[in-house]
């Protein structure tokens, strides 16, 4: 039943923070008579929508959840023994309830402000330690997007390490998972890397081969000894990547001990549901000497200003927002929430529990092979872990597959004359009996008595793992619960206060949107199950595609990219394919404004483009004259312009249509970065401004939570002439008739979390979405009006308005008081707030974005904190406070610091910890003092520190 979006019980009224009375007060403060007048002063008339969004009215939460349950019932949950890097698993309820379903974990932001993210950072350090231990390699990152893209990232990393300039060939074993092979091909082609797929036992290395990729165990289940292959590679100056099954490494000799240079894989089977493809946390581990070449994020150990152990994101200068077109990766969103789950799975089970799970899977696999042999069938020989290959005639294979389907099971067809059966943690003796019944009658009880698990000595793991105390302590549920809660208490999330990060849109992630993702009807589907078994998902995909088409004005949508960075890559590669289809493959220049997000130039380089920077004028807009000059200069080779709209400077540029026309006149296409889409929905669209393709950050505008740094989704929407080139997939058909290769390992990316934006749009309806955009713009202008007298707003639109965010200037404070933007950021923690975006896109500024879901009361608290901090700075300016020993330079103030017996500062403890009356009622204590970042980089440690340091931290 549709509900009036202005009704106080409607979902839009619950989602949007300020009510009608608040909005009137805020409008008076900004000097606008109405929302309509404010929007008219903010968005150029030439690009305004003339009609309401073509979306149905919003539904109530109750009706939406009822529909979600009905659609979940349309998914047929067969037991999928398909393997290919995806396995059913058992999520411990203590982890599901207290992490996956807990907004204290899933609404936190990326841990750039480490002092209020110590819990998440410790969990990620546990993840890195787990990966390093299990792979026997020196260093591991804090997660990547999926196994396919992790393999591609490893390829690029090794290419950068190549010792010869002409080394441009990457070998991939034909026994790798098919989706991994194709993702690697997709990512290699625009960079000019030649991918050779073949038999690793026959491949001959030469000096032009810089690297190789093998699967361990192989996609058909065989456990192969790669020692000789790795030795041959090293002798020829090449390096080797092993794509690994993480659970198997509890029993098998790990990649590091086999001589591999890099290990990649997916931690999905460590307690993370299948989810029809994601989200899941991939991993990459390597040798210590390659640390600075690693893609993605790395968590390190440092110390705070008081010498206490503290965690932080290490080597941040590697990140694409700093290195831009020189970045080695465009990875921005990680899979933090899923990495936390996987690490907690290892903490809960411990090394002996994990080994028992692995031995059970391997034991059942041995029984399956023995049972098939008893039936006289030809099965795979040699050591196995979880997958058995069965040979037969084409007719037999068809009969077996049909029999499995009738009995509610999915086997994998490997070829016309063979199939594979991959077992998992959820498989039991009854399941094994059911599998064998497809082929004949076998006594499973007798099989269990006569089958033994044997691995040849060279492939049997001898080394220890997970010896750190954290993996050997929290095995009872009460201890595990307390550990999870202890880490949660060290983080700030949306459960505490607003997170006003410009360009990151930290908005409400409503409970009703989140609930369905943990239902078995949605999260137990294998991504390569037949589409006929996923009718509920397909219905959601169709509706979400139609909704996003209505919002963007573009007819073509791909849901595959599983991060905003991957959406950028996908959109740019679609443009590249379009030019090639017209015989203009030589077009390789991508124009990017100087103010662009760092992922833009990084993505452009990965898509095979040469980046040319376009200047911005003094008002922060793209310099039209410079754009004209650059477009004319590169007219023969111009491929694309990348812009963010509203601009990265937080305003609606008046001349955006003219910018697009200039590019089109010179043969290029226009790519719009969707980071600021929250100011567009229902009021304007990418199609209206003249763009050809855009990506949509569903983890921003459409309410997928940030999860502490991931998951995210970045679907792309394209104009009609680009639809044929939308991404395809080698296992499940998707994409256009002339599709580019897959961007992610799963056909629809992180499918399970697509339920969140689907639910959000269904409950908001067209009118609700439009009102949300209007209020987001109102909230930003309200903050700008309140802060401007004290922190001048840097950029405004033609009529003095900002869009969804505003940039406030702190640069004069460095000269007047010696105060940096970082000092204000740290002091905000004492008031219970996460800092706005620091020094982007302008150094020495804060970029503030309140979103529509923050109430006037919460915005007023934030403004009060900022104004109180300005008064503290004024005391430094007037000489009333010491220039070094003051409230800002010593921030944040921890409980240990404030309660210490000694207090030598010239201000009071109350001023330090409780600067405003309401802070005492909702105090958030930073877990550590200001962290010494240079110390952490000089003394890089990316593994769990000795247990003594943990003990000291608990005192």
């Amino acid at each position: 039943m549709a509900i009036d979006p202005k009704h106080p019980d409607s979902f839009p009224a619950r989602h949007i923070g300020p009510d009608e009375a608040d909005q009137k007060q805020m409008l008076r403060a900004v000097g606008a008579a109405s929302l309509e007048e404010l929007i008219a002063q903010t968005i150029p008339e030439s690009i305004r929508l003339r009609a309401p969004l073509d979306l149905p009215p919003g539904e109530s939460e109750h009706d939406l959840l009822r529909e979600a349950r009905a659609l979940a019932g349309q998914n047929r949950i067969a037991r999928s023994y398909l393997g290919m890097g995806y396995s059913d698993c058992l999520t411990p309820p203590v982890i599901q309830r207290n992490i996956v379903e807990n907004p204290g974990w899933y609404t936190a932001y990326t841990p750039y402000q480490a002092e209020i993210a110590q819990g998440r950072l410790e969990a990620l350090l546990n993840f890195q330690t787990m990966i390093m231990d299990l792979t026997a390699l020196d260093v591991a990152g804090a997660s990547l997007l999926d196994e396919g893209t992790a393999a591609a990232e490893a390829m690029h990393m090794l290419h950068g390490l190549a010792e010869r300039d002409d080394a441009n060939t990457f070998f991939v074993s034909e026994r790798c998972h098919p989706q991994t092979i194709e993702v690697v091909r997709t990512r290699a082609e625009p960079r000019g890397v030649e991918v050779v797929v073949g038999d690793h036992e026959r491949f001959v290395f030469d000096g032009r081969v810089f690297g190789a990729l093998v699967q361990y165990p192989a996609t058909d289940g065989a456990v192969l000894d790669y020692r000789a292959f790795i030795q041959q590679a090293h002798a020829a100056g090449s390096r080797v990547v092993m794509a690994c099954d993480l659970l198997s490494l509890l029993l098998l000799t790990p990649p590091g001990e086999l001589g591999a240079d890099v290990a990649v894989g997916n931690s999905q089977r460590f307690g993370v549901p299948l989810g029809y493809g994601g989200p899941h946390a991939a991993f990459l581990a390597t040798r210590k000497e390659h640390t600075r070449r690693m893609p993605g994020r790395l968590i390190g150990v440092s110390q705070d200003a008081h010498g206490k152990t503290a965690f932080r994101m290490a080597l941040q200068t590697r990140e694409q927002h700093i290195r831009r077109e020189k970045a080695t990766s465009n990875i921005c969103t990680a899979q933090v929430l899923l990495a936390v789950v996987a690490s907690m799975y290892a903490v809960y089970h411990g090394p002996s529990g994990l080994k028992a799970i692995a031995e059970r899977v391997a034991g059942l696999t041995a029984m399956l092979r023995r049972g098939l042999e008893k039936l006289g069938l030809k099965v795979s020989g040699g050591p196995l872990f979880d997958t058995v290959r069965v040979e037969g005639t084409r007719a037999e294979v068809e009969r077996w597959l049909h029999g499995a389907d009738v009995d509610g099971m999915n086997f994998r067809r490997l070829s016309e004359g063979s199939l594979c059966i991959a077992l998992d943690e959820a498989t039991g003796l009854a399941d094994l009996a059911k599998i064998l019944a497809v082929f004949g009658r076998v006594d499973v009880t007798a099989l269990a008595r006569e089958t033994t698990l044997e691995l040849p000595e060279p492939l049997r793991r001898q080394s220890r793992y997970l010896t750190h105390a954290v993996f050997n302590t929290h095995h009872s549920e009460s201890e595990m619960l307390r550990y999870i809660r202890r880490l949660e208490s060290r983080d700030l999330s949306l459960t505490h206060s607003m997170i006003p990060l410009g360009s990151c849109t930290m908005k409400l992630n409503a409970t009703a949107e989140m609930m369905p993702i943990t239902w078995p009807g949605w999260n137990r589907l294998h991504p390569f199950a037949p589409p006929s078994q996923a009718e509920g998902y397909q219905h959601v995909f169709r509706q979400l595609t139609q909704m996003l088409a209505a919002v963007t004005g573009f007819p073509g949508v791909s849901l595959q990219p599983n991060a905003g960075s991957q959406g950028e890559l996908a959109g740019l590669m679609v443009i590249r394919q379009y030019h090639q289809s017209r015989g203009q493959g030589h077009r390789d220049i991508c124009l990017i404004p100087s103010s662009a997000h760092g992922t833009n130039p990084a993505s452009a380089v990965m898509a095979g483009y040469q980046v040319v920077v376009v200047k911005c004028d003094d008002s922060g807009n793209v310099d039209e004259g410079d754009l004209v000059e650059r477009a004319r200069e590169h007219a023969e080779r111009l491929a694309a312009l990348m812009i963010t709209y509203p601009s990265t400077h937080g305003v609606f540029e008046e001349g955006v249509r003219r910018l697009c026309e200039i590019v089109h006149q010179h043969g290029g296409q226009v790519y719009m970065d969707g980071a600021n889409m929250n100011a567009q929905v229902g009021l304007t669209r990418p199609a209206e401004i003249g763009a050809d393709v855009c990506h949509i950050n569903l983890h921003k505008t459409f309410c997928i939570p940030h999860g502490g740094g991931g998951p995210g989704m970045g679907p792309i929407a394209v104009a009609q002439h680009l639809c044929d080139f939308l991404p395809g997939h080698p296992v499940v058909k998707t994409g256009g008739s002339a599709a580019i290769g897959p961007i992610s390992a799963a056909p629809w990316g992180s499918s399970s979390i697509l339920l969140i934006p689907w639910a959000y749009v269904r409950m908001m309806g067209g009118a609700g979405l439009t009102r949300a955009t209007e209020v987001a713009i109102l909230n930003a202008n309200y903050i700008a009006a309140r802060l401007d007298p004290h922190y001048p707003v840097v950029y405004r639109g033609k009529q003095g308005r900002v869009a969804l965010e505003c940039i406030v200037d702190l640069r004069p404070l460095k000269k007047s008081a010696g105060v940096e933007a970082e000092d204000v950021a740290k002091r905000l923690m004492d008031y219970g707030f996460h800092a706005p975006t620091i020094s982007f896109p302008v150094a020495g500024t804060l970029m503030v974005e309140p979103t529509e879901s923050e109430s006037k009361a919460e915005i007023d608290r934030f403004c009060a904190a900022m104004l109180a901090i300005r008064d503290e700075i004024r005391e430094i300016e007037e000489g009333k406070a010491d220039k070094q020993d003051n409230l800002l330079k010593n921030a944040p103030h921890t409980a240990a610091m404030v309660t210490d017996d000694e207090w030598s500062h010239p201000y009071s403890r109350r001023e330090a910890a409780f600067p405003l009356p309401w802070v005492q009622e909702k105090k958030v204590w930073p877990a550590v003092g200001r962290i010494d970042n240079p110390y952490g980089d000089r003394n890089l440690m990316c593994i769990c520190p000795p247990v003594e340091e943990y003990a000291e931290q608990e005192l």
Side-chain angles (χ1 to χ4, degrees):
M1 180 180 69
I3 296 179
D4 181 352
K6 293 184 180 180
H7 190 282
D9 282 332
S10 71
F11 180 78
R14 303 294 189 190
H15 174 84
I16 297 171
D19 60 20
E20 294 291 325
D22 288 335
Q23 290 173 31
K24 288 178 181 177
Q25 291 182 39
M26 297 166 81
L27 285 164
R28 283 196 294 271
V30 304
S34 64
L35 263 179
E36 290 70 24
E37 180 179 285
L38 175 64
I39 299 306
Q41 294 170 353
T42 305
I43 303 178
E45 178 65 22
S46 61
I47 62 169
R48 284 291 304 276
L49 289 181
R50 305 301 175 203
L53 277 178
D54 185 18
L55 292 172
E59 294 187 11
S60 69
E61 292 173 295
H62 173 76
D63 288 343
L64 183 283
L65 290 172
R66 182 170 58 186
E67 182 179 359
R69 287 195 183 279
L71 289 172
Q74 294 181 22
N75 294 324
R76 178 187 167 203
I77 310 301
R79 284 291 281 120
S80 286
Y81 302 106
L82 297 167
M84 289 188 276
Y86 299 95
S87 303
D88 202 0
C89 64
L90 305 176
T91 307
V94 66
I95 294 176
Q96 176 171 317
R97 185 176 183 86
N98 294 288
I99 295 179
V100 181
E101 298 175 353
N102 180 356
W105 281 95
Y106 66 68
T107 69
Y109 181 59
T110 305
Y112 289 118
Q113 296 296 329
E115 294 85 353
I116 47 175
Q118 288 294 293
R120 221 167 330 129
L121 287 164
E122 181 173 325
L124 291 174
L125 200 71
N126 293 344
F127 177 82
Q128 290 179 177
T129 302
M130 173 185 79
I131 299 300
M132 292 156 66
D133 278 8
L134 295 185
T135 61
L137 285 163
D138 304 325
V139 60
S143 80
L144 292 173
L145 299 174
D146 58 35
E147 184 169 324
T149 54
E153 291 288 343
M155 172 188 66
H156 289 311
M157 177 179 137
L158 294 190
H159 194 211
L161 293 167
E163 297 166 7
R164 285 176 43 169
D165 292 340
D166 63 344
N168 206 44
T169 299
F170 188 67
F171 172 76
V172 179
S173 169
E174 62 192 6
R175 297 176 84 169
C176 290
H177 297 317
Q179 72 275 14
T180 299
I181 295 173
E182 293 308 315
V183 170
V184 167
R185 279 180 165 145
T186 300
R187 294 278 292 273
E189 191 268 336
R191 300 294 297 273
V193 172
E194 179 187 4
V195 174
V196 175
V197 179
D199 183 349
H200 79 278
E201 293 180 343
R202 298 182 181 180
F203 184 73
V204 178
F205 285 91
D206 61 35
R208 291 170 298 177
V209 180
F210 65 85
L213 173 69
V214 294
Q215 194 86 43
Y216 186 64
T219 192
D220 62 359
V223 177
L224 306 172
D225 190 337
Y226 290 109
R227 285 183 179 90
F229 176 79
I230 293 170
Q231 289 170 2
Q232 291 169 17
H234 288 169
S238 295
R239 295 180 174 89
V240 176
V241 183
M242 291 181 68
C244 313
D245 182 307
L246 201 58
L247 191 67
S248 75
L249 301 185
L250 295 148
L251 306 181
L252 302 178
T253 301
E257 294 174 13
L258 294 175
D261 302 279
V262 185
V264 298
N266 191 339
S267 63
Q268 179 265 314
R269 67 191 308 170
F270 275 42
V272 182
L274 289 161
Y276 202 42
H280 309 132
F283 62 84
L284 185 150
T286 188
R287 305 286 178 188
K288 185 176 181 179
E289 58 265 31
H290 306 322
T291 300
R292 290 182 179 272
R293 289 278 188 169
M294 290 175 64
R297 294 173 179 148
L298 191 65
I299 307 307
V301 181
S302 187
Q303 63 183 26
D304 72 0
H306 316 292
K308 183 178 179 181
T309 298
F311 311 123
R312 57 182 281 273
M313 285 173 57
L315 302 176
Q316 290 191 38
T317 53
R318 300 175 313 121
E319 291 218 346
Q320 72 291 100
H321 68 279
I322 292 172
R323 291 186 56 80
R324 299 175 68 81
E325 66 269 17
K326 295 179 182 178
T328 55
S329 167
N330 76 330
I331 291 294
C332 184
T333 304
Q335 300 281 26
V336 170
L337 186 67
L338 297 314
V340 169
V341 170
S343 74
M344 290 297 186
Y345 180 90
V347 167
Y348 193 42
H349 287 295
S352 58
L354 291 175
K355 185 176 181 181
I357 293 169
E359 287 177 337
R360 187 167 181 272
V361 171
L364 287 169
T365 305
M367 290 172 60
L368 174 60
R369 177 163 66 179
R370 177 69 177 145
L372 293 168
E373 287 174 338
K374 279 193 162 190
L375 292 170
L377 298 173
K378 183 180 179 182
V379 295
S380 45
L384 303 176
F385 172 62
D386 68 349
T387 302
V388 178
R389 175 174 177 161
V390 189
E391 307 284 348
T393 66
R394 180 175 180 176
E396 286 174 326
V397 170
E398 290 287 350
R399 186 172 73 249
W400 295 332
L401 291 171
H402 176 72
D405 180 63
V406 169
D407 285 343
M409 298 180 290
N410 295 320
F411 297 164
R412 175 189 174 192
R413 184 199 298 273
L414 194 64
S415 66
E416 286 193 355
S418 65
L419 58 77
C420 284
I421 304 167
L423 306 187
D424 52 52
E425 179 190 6
T427 307
L429 283 175
D431 298 306
L432 186 62
K434 194 172 180 181
I435 292 168
L436 285 167
V438 171
F439 301 92
R441 291 179 58 86
V442 182
D443 185 345
V444 174
T445 306
L447 270 183
R449 288 194 302 267
E450 65 188 47
T451 306
T452 57
L453 174 60
E454 293 185 4
L455 285 171
E457 189 73 21
L459 289 172
R460 191 184 311 157
R461 181 160 194 154
Q462 307 295 336
S463 55
R464 299 177 68 199
Y465 46 81
L466 305 182
T467 57
H468 191 276
V470 74
F471 299 108
N472 294 277
T473 304
H474 311 288
H475 302 325
S476 71
E477 182 166 335
S478 57
E479 285 300 315
M480 188 65 189
L481 173 63
R482 289 166 188 153
Y483 181 61
I484 291 171
R485 290 293 185 180
R486 187 160 74 247
L487 295 196
E488 180 191 346
S489 71
R490 296 174 182 167
D491 284 14
L492 184 144
S493 70
L494 283 173
T495 64
H496 299 99
S497 57
M498 71 183 288
I499 301 179
L501 285 146
S503 198
C504 287
T505 316
M506 297 290 293
K507 63 203 294 182
L508 172 70
N509 314 122
T511 306
E513 296 158 8
M514 299 298 297
M515 287 174 64
I517 66 172
T518 57
W519 297 348
W522 294 110
N523 70 19
R524 290 199 69 190
L525 262 75
H526 193 287
F528 303 144
S532 61
Q533 294 177 10
E535 284 299 325
Y537 262 117
Q538 296 302 321
H539 180 87
V540 167
F541 295 162
R542 286 191 295 270
Q543 283 201 337
L544 183 57
T545 296
Q546 292 164 2
M547 295 174 199
L548 296 180
V551 166
T552 62
F554 292 137
V557 175
S558 170
L559 300 174
Q560 189 180 118
N562 54 0
S565 58
Q566 303 309 288
E568 291 177 15
L569 180 64
L572 290 168
M573 291 192 65
V574 162
I575 290 173
R576 188 172 184 272
Q577 189 88 338
Y578 165 74
H579 286 312
Q580 289 179 345
S581 74
R582 303 172 74 237
Q584 296 187 350
H586 61 278
R587 291 187 174 272
D588 64 348
I589 297 293
C590 186
L591 304 179
I592 300 181
S594 58
S595 63
H597 295 98
T599 50
N600 288 178
S603 296
V605 169
M606 294 195 71
Y609 295 111
Q610 179 180 327
V611 173
V612 172
V613 177
V614 178
K615 297 176 185 176
C616 289
D617 63 23
D618 293 339
S619 300
N621 301 319
V622 176
D623 186 323
E624 183 179 322
D626 193 54
L627 177 65
V628 170
E629 191 173 333
R630 299 285 82 76
R632 286 174 178 168
E633 179 185 356
H634 301 287
E636 291 300 312
R637 294 172 54 196
L638 180 59
L641 165 71
M642 292 188 83
I643 56 171
T644 300
Y645 201 74
S647 76
T648 310
H649 290 135
V651 297
F652 283 94
E653 296 185 37
E654 295 281 333
V656 65
R657 274 191 167 175
R658 173 64 184 148
L659 302 180
C660 296
E661 289 170 1
I662 291 166
V663 173
H664 289 147
Q665 286 167 6
H666 292 85
Q669 297 284 286
V670 177
Y671 179 99
M672 195 206 84
D673 183 317
N676 291 343
M677 184 76 78
N678 209 47
Q680 285 198 39
V681 179
L683 301 178
T684 185
R685 303 187 294 192
E688 307 302 316
I689 73 170
D692 302 286
V693 55
C694 71
H695 84 266
I696 307 149
N697 288 323
L698 297 183
H699 51 289
K700 293 184 179 182
T701 306
F702 292 91
C703 292
I704 292 176
H706 281 59
M713 281 290 280
I716 59 171
V718 301
Q720 186 64 55
H721 63 281
L722 298 176
C723 289
D724 288 344
F725 311 108
L726 290 171
H729 197 275
V731 182
V732 180
K733 180 172 173 49
T734 61
S737 58
I740 63 170
I743 292 295
S744 72
W748 292 279
S750 296
S751 301
S752 66
I753 57 173
L754 290 173
L755 291 163
I756 300 167
W758 170 79
Y760 170 66
V761 177
R762 290 299 304 275
M763 291 189 291
M764 290 293 283
L769 289 174
T770 304
R771 181 48 58 99
T773 309
E774 293 170 342
V775 175
I777 292 172
L778 170 62
N779 284 356
N781 279 276
Y782 179 68
I783 285 182
R786 290 210 56 189
L787 296 186
D788 185 69
H790 310 275
Y791 303 95
V793 173
V794 181
Y795 298 114
R796 294 181 182 272
K798 187 176 180 180
Q799 298 189 55
R801 300 301 186 186
V802 299
L804 74 170
E805 59 201 2
C806 62
I807 298 173
V808 296
D809 200 351
L810 277 65
R811 290 171 293 184
L813 304 179
K814 183 175 182 179
K815 184 176 181 180
S816 66
V819 170
E820 308 268 3
E822 183 182 26
D823 298 323
V824 175
K826 303 308 179 187
R827 181 58 175 154
L828 272 168
M829 296 178 191
D830 291 330
Y831 288 81
F833 286 106
H834 194 292
T837 304
I838 300 175
S839 291
F840 175 83
V842 181
T845 66
L846 297 180
M847 183 160 62
V848 188
E849 181 181 352
T851 83
E852 73 278 3
S853 55
E854 294 300 342
S855 66
K856 179 178 180 294
E858 181 69 0
I859 292 171
D860 284 338
R861 277 190 288 271
F862 171 75
C863 290
M866 289 292 292
L867 298 182
I869 291 171
R870 184 64 184 91
D871 287 338
E872 294 167 357
I873 297 170
R874 197 167 287 114
E875 290 199 345
I876 302 171
E877 292 171 329
E878 295 172 354
K880 297 177 182 177
D882 187 88
K883 210 161 187 178
Q884 295 303 321
D885 189 3
N886 59 60
L887 288 161
L888 283 92
K889 292 296 182 182
N890 293 328
H893 298 82
T894 65
M897 180 182 177
V898 173
T899 58
D900 192 81
D901 290 340
E902 296 184 9
W903 183 263
S904 59
H905 303 294
Y907 51 89
S908 71
R909 300 172 195 256
R910 182 195 60 76
E911 288 174 301
F914 305 108
L916 289 174
W918 49 264
V919 177
Q920 192 162 1
E921 298 176 13
K922 47 182 296 186
K923 180 64 181 176
V924 178
W925 288 103
V928 295
R930 193 176 303 199
I931 294 174
D932 187 339
N933 291 325
Y935 175 91
D937 285 348
R938 288 194 307 268
N939 304 277
L940 188 62
M941 182 198 298
C942 301
I943 195 168
C944 290
V947 68
E948 291 80 14
E949 294 189 29
Y950 278 89
E952 291 171 5
Q953 195 155 312
E954 295 303 320
L955 293 177

